Amino acid sequence: MKSKMILLMGGQGVGKGTHARRLIARDGYGYVETGAILRALPPESPVAQIMARGELVPDSDLFGVIADAIKNNPGDIILDGFPRTVGQAQWLVKNYADKFDIRVVYMNVPEDIMLARIEKRIREGGGRADDADAAIVRRRLDSFWRITMPAIEWLRTAQGIRFADVDVSAEDVDVNFTRISNALD
Ligand code: AMP
């Protein structure tokens, strides 16, 4: 049987990390958290400077990093924050759909809720450098709509994978988690 690969996709603040951790606690997936892997790079590296501006790192800088992370996490895995471009989505399906049962979960919420959740993350002290600056948050949201949404739309109809569009706009995290769990059944 193929291992499962769950792709958690959605804009900033939708709760990808929160729900990834819940799924892992329940089912024991390996975890590839793209943003955290990239944040571990030295602050003077070109990639860190791109991230500090709230821009997306070029696909060519990511493929090796992601391939290594997948290799280092044998068995069922969750990818959080990858893919974020059509090129990344196509690369993933081309190279991994034969080895993994790929399940995309598009965590769908309106932008005003994303913004409210980012503000809450800052208020509760969990905010990151790239959350604190309103202009950078705006840039990341714009790149979500402009660059990542087409990747989500491409995956919605891609052959050989399964795609779920899940409304996670409920206030209650448990309600959203149940919706995600049901979509993955
Ligand atoms: P995240 O923690 O997932 O919000 O990612 C933080 C930052 O890392 C993003 O704003 C991007 O600069 C970079 N990044 C994370 N994932 C990707 C990706 N799949 N493609 C390009 N850049 C990414």
Side-chain angles (χ1 to χ4, degrees):
M1 207 173 74
K2 286 182 188 177
S3 294
K4 249 191 263 174
M5 177 186 276
I6 296 175
L7 313 183
L8 290 181
M9 300 184 70
Q12 286 72 37
V14 296
K16 296 189 289 289
T18 301
H19 291 292
R21 278 180 270 278
R22 284 186 166 218
L23 288 167
I24 290 161
R26 195 190 63 186
D27 300 332
Y29 296 95
Y31 188 27
V32 176
E33 190 183 4
T34 316
I37 296 171
L38 297 175
R39 273 190 291 279
L41 295 172
E44 64 281 4
S45 65
V47 165
Q49 290 173 24
I50 292 170
M51 290 171 71
R53 291 198 297 271
E55 292 166 10
L56 290 180
V57 173
D59 291 356
S60 53
D61 288 336
L62 273 178
F63 292 154
V65 174
I66 297 296
D68 284 348
I70 293 172
K71 209 182 302 158
N72 293 334
N73 283 280
D76 296 342
I77 52 171
I78 293 180
L79 266 56
D80 164 353
F82 188 95
R84 271 187 164 130
T85 68
V86 171
Q88 292 173 16
Q90 292 177 339
W91 175 85
L92 200 66
V93 171
K94 178 165 169 256
N95 291 295
Y96 293 98
D98 58 338
K99 303 180 196 83
F100 288 90
D101 173 15
I102 298 180
R103 312 286 307 260
V104 180
V105 176
Y106 166 36
M107 298 173 62
N108 190 347
V109 300
E111 184 176 291
D112 55 334
I113 295 183
M114 288 186 214
L115 283 166
R117 289 183 185 168
I118 294 170
E119 275 163 26
K120 182 159 173 265
R121 190 151 82 184
I122 296 168
R123 272 201 313 279
E124 291 175 352
R128 308 182 323 227
D130 56 353
D131 279 341
D133 182 319
I136 292 177
V137 167
R138 186 65 260 159
R139 194 173 303 148
R140 285 162 61 214
L141 280 172
D142 286 344
S143 78
F144 171 70
W145 295 118
R146 196 166 46 85
I147 300 172
T148 305
M149 209 53 221
I152 291 170
E153 292 308 333
W154 184 81
L155 286 162
R156 197 188 285 277
T157 57
Q159 299 297 305
I161 64 158
R162 280 186 280 177
F163 182 97
D165 187 326
V166 184
D167 171 1
V168 288
S169 59
E171 285 261 338
D172 185 339
V173 182
D174 292 336
V175 170
N176 293 326
F177 186 67
T178 302
R179 292 178 186 167
I180 291 172
S181 298
N182 290 342
L184 287 170
D185 272 350

